[in-house]
DNA sequence: GATGGGTGCGCAATCGGTTGTGCAACTATT
DNA sequence: AATAGTTGCACAACCGATTGCGCACCCATC
């Protein structure tokens, strides 16, 4: 309201305006005035003044003095799929609800960028660092420990900090079961089922492969090495891998376990380009995307329970787990599997 | 490397270790040592020491003293579509390239959340605030001006700060042209073409409607009020709106201009549920999604040129435009329109 | 009238950097 | 040998908040 202030207003300015001291203004503005026995009248006066003059606390100064920044940091591989983008959104919303500020950085699945981002966040003195889907979570946990900052892993587990992840093995087992149920309902031979996408270096992929194997085994089905193709996540890689499989086998797999929506993109493109109908093949995807669901209603998807994962995360932010290497698994939910009909 | 430091290392600690003064350490660590005529030998010694002890500059203290935080803020409606998520990613990448730190907040297309996020960012003393797709960009521009912080609009224009947006009208014209070309090639009557999705309060939607209208008019086609249904972006709204249209008209439109991928989701779902084939109807979408492209190769999409938009944005961050209300339009690109064949 | 307890507020140190200024010590010049 | 210029660094005052401590004043009590 007041005319263009050349410099930003400080508590010293307010103190002058209110004819009182900076320490009093500070106490009023940060809510400790009752404890410091400031009269309600003066407090109200200062609050009105601050409001009218458009005062805004300098968080840098506060953070410096308090030795607490009020900032939570998160590093993330990417924003561009529904899983990671909902992690970012829900994380931010929950932090906002608690009056905490968040900083999120994308690191493109690159260990160097992960380290660099972590270093920056530590320089800004984040109070916790959430390490999501990191290629090398332990390296970051070490950086954090050296800086005296608590860190937590999300999506991919580490050994140096507590982790919240999806129940990948059990989820994969259920997804595979759903695929096999479909095959059975349609009386199709369940031999040629392909697991495609992901990285073997990646804990989640390994667990999902194991779940896939177990689900098949418990129905007496063997899993050949050629049935499992962790060709990385990229759409092009998945596309090429599927092409190679079909060339070798001479025909499409009867069903496919696709390890992410990004791999799904390559698979679908290849099928389309080859003039295939989506319903020629039974598909499951370990990840969820509503657009994909709209285009292909018979696609079975595992939706990871991001809301619960973030909730658990915040519980650990509030009270660190007793065991600092604990790994908590959150069950994902299967979606898009209408009762199997012939 | 050194054993668990109970407190974080400061320049005072390093000064003691190196037997020199804090000001010297500071100069060395922030790169001004040559100007301050610190000997190369001492500088190197201090740098080695800092490296070995794992020193990290306290950015809060630096920001306080320098009165510059080194932070760029951005508010964003959502992360969960490819357009906005790529804005976040490219913005962050470009800022990182310049050694600038970024803070992004999602505000869910809610004016209150937008204001609150802007206030927080100003409290953290961001140096610029980028206001993306804001429902009320001018309110935020006002907050920023009062705080002496430069603000810029992205995606949706405002009148109180410079804006970078897509060339919505011309883009819509081209997309509509592509639809009409397809109709012509397939010798289908071009009367029943539906524009669906978006909000009339929204500048971009209004411009796109105008582009749609102009493209039709230049081919001698009239646009009836019922041909334009800005039913909001949500998938459910689009789904319901399409259903209403079909009920009224007694059949599907021959072609559709879908105003966003989120609306597309509802459209596709409704068509699928109704047992329609995607190729019964010619569709264009003003936004781009690779998964949608994979599922529906004949879908025509406008891909907004986020890279260029962000580049322009940073040019204005470097050197503010002469006219503070300037609005720059960046041409989007049409993708997925293979040469029309019968 | 001295003592005790509560009320209401200000003083000054502090957080960890940054930066204008000053001042020894040394080298070159006349 | 006196003067001038350079080199290399340290002093100390900030930036804007927070917070332990102290002090004046008022009222009640013995």
């Amino acid at each position: 309201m007041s005319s263009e202030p050349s410099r930003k207003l400080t508590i010293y300015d307010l103190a002058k305006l209110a004819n009182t001291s900076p320490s009093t203004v500070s106490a009023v503005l940060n809510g400790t005035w009752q404890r410091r026995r400031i009269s309600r009248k003066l407090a109200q006066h200062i609050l009105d003044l601050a409001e009218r003059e458009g005062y805004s606390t300098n968080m840098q100064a506060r953070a410096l003095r308090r030795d607490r920044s009020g900032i939570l940091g998160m590093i993330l591989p990417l924003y561009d799929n529904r899983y990671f983008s909902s992690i970012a959104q829900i994380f931010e919303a929950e932090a906002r609800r608690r009056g905490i500020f968040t900083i999120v950085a994308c690191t493109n699945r690159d260990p160097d960028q992960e380290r660099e981002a972590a270093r920056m966040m530590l320089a800004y003195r984040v109070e916790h660092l959430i390490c999501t889907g990191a290629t090398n979570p332990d390296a970051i946990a070490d950086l954090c420990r050296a800086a005296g900052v608590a860190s937590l892993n999300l999506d991919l587990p580490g050994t140096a900090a507590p982790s919240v992840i999806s129940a990948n093995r059990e989820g994969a087992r259920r997804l595979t079961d759903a695929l096999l149920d479909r095959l059975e309902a349609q009386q199709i031979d369940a031999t040629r089922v392909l697991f495609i996408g992901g990285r073997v270096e990646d804990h989640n992929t390994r667990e999902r492969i194991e779940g896939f194997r177990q689900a098949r085994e418990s129905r007496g089905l063997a899993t050949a090495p050629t049935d499992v193709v962790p060709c990385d996540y990229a759409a092009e890689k998945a596309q090429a891998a599927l092409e190679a499989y079909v060339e070798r086998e001479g025909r499409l797999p009867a069903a496919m376990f696709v390890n992410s929506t990004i791999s799904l993109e390559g698979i679908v493109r290849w099928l389309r380009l080859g003039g295939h109908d989506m319903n020629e093949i039974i598909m499951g995807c370990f990840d969820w995307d509503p657009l994909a669901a709209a285009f292909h209603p018979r696609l079975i998807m595992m939706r990871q329970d991001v809301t619960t994962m973030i909730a658990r995360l915040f519980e650990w932010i509030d009270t660190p787990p007793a065991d600092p290497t604990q790994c908590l698994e959150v069950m994902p939910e299967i979606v898009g599997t209408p009762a199997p009909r012939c």
Side-chain angles (χ1 to χ4, degrees), chain A:
Chain A
M1 214 42 62
S2 61
S3 72
E4 203 66 46
S6 60
R7 304 260 342 92
K8 284 231 55 164
L9 220 61
T10 72
I11 54 170
Y12 298 90
D13 303 323
L14 289 180
K16 250 169 228 146
L17 287 174
N19 236 320
T20 177
S21 75
S23 58
T24 299
V25 174
S26 171
V28 169
L29 293 176
N30 67 35
T32 59
W33 58 276
Q34 323 228 29
R35 199 176 339 127
R36 289 179 81 80
R37 294 191 314 241
I38 311 295
S39 67
R40 177 171 305 276
K41 186 159 167 288
L42 179 54
Q44 194 55 55
H45 178 220
I46 291 174
L47 285 173
D48 292 346
L49 208 58
E51 171 74 29
R52 210 181 57 223
E53 300 290 331
Y55 171 82
S56 138
T57 305
N58 185 325
M59 293 310 223
Q60 325 282 359
R62 168 175 290 177
L64 176 59
R65 183 57 238 250
R66 283 203 179 149
D67 200 22
R68 297 194 302 107
S69 63
I71 304 179
L72 228 49
M74 170 177 269
I75 70 175
L76 207 65
L78 303 159
Y79 287 123
D80 67 4
N81 67 63
R82 297 298 286 240
Y83 176 52
F84 289 128
S85 68
S86 67
I87 285 179
Q89 266 181 230
I90 295 174
F91 174 69
E92 207 198 296
E94 179 59 21
R96 200 204 313 275
R97 220 177 52 72
R98 297 166 175 239
I100 306 175
F101 205 58
T102 57
I103 294 182
V104 181
C106 284
T107 52
N108 303 300
R109 295 193 196 280
D110 172 355
D112 292 337
Q113 284 190 48
E114 285 168 10
R115 291 173 63 88
E116 215 29 63
R119 252 193 260 279
M120 279 301 263
M121 297 207 162
L122 292 173
Y124 278 95
R125 299 298 188 263
V126 294
E127 296 181 20
H128 289 258
L129 185 52
I130 317 300
C131 202
T132 310
T135 56
N136 192 354
D138 289 351
I140 294 172
D142 289 347
L143 281 176
C144 290
R145 197 170 29 71
V149 170
S151 74
L152 294 168
N153 299 312
L154 183 61
D155 179 56
L156 279 176
T159 64
S163 310
V164 177
I165 65 173
S166 281
N168 290 293
R169 189 183 302 197
E170 178 59 22
R173 203 149 40 199
R174 294 190 190 175
L175 180 54
T176 309
D177 268 335
L179 290 172
L180 296 176
D181 284 347
R182 282 265 182 94
L183 287 170
E184 206 165 291
Q186 300 183 220
Q187 301 182 327
I188 301 177
D189 171 33
T191 313
R192 292 168 304 104
V193 178
L194 176 61
F195 180 107
I196 193 165
R199 303 175 173 176
V200 270
E201 314 89 74
D202 168 340
H203 168 275
N204 292 356
T205 297
R206 285 199 308 271
E207 284 292 298
R208 292 172 194 175
I209 289 175
E210 186 52 29
F212 175 74
R213 194 187 309 273
Q214 287 181 4
R216 290 179 57 78
E217 191 175 312
S218 72
R219 298 201 189 197
L221 296 163
T223 301
T226 50
D227 295 340
V228 175
V229 186
C231 58
D232 206 335
Y233 291 104
E236 294 70 30
K237 299 270 183 70
Q239 198 166 344
L242 177 56
E243 173 147 7
Y245 177 94
V246 172
E247 203 147 303
R248 196 178 53 239
E249 300 287 324
R251 51 179 175 168
L252 287 177
M256 261 193 280
F257 183 124
V258 184
N259 197 20
S260 74
T261 48
I262 179 72
S263 303
L264 182 66
E265 186 187 315
I267 301 293
V268 171
R269 193 181 301 142
W270 189 85
L271 291 173
R272 281 288 180 214
L273 292 179
H276 296 284
D277 185 282
M278 285 302 139
N279 290 317
E280 283 178 42
I281 178 169
I282 293 170
M283 286 206 288
C285 178
F286 204 111
D287 247 338
W288 175 80
D289 184 296
L291 244 180
F295 274 108
H296 188 355
R298 287 182 57 72
L299 175 62
I300 309 170
M301 288 186 275
M302 289 308 285
R303 180 177 190 170
Q304 304 191 57
D305 186 352
V306 175
T307 304
T308 302
M309 293 169 80
I310 300 285
R312 295 290 165 271
L313 206 65
F314 274 93
E315 285 169 15
W316 281 355
I317 287 173
D318 292 337
T319 59
D323 173 9
T325 67
Q326 191 173 343
C327 180
L328 187 73
E329 296 200 341
V330 175
M331 197 59 209
E333 183 195 11
I334 210 161
V335 294
T337 169
R341 20 158 237 133
C342 271

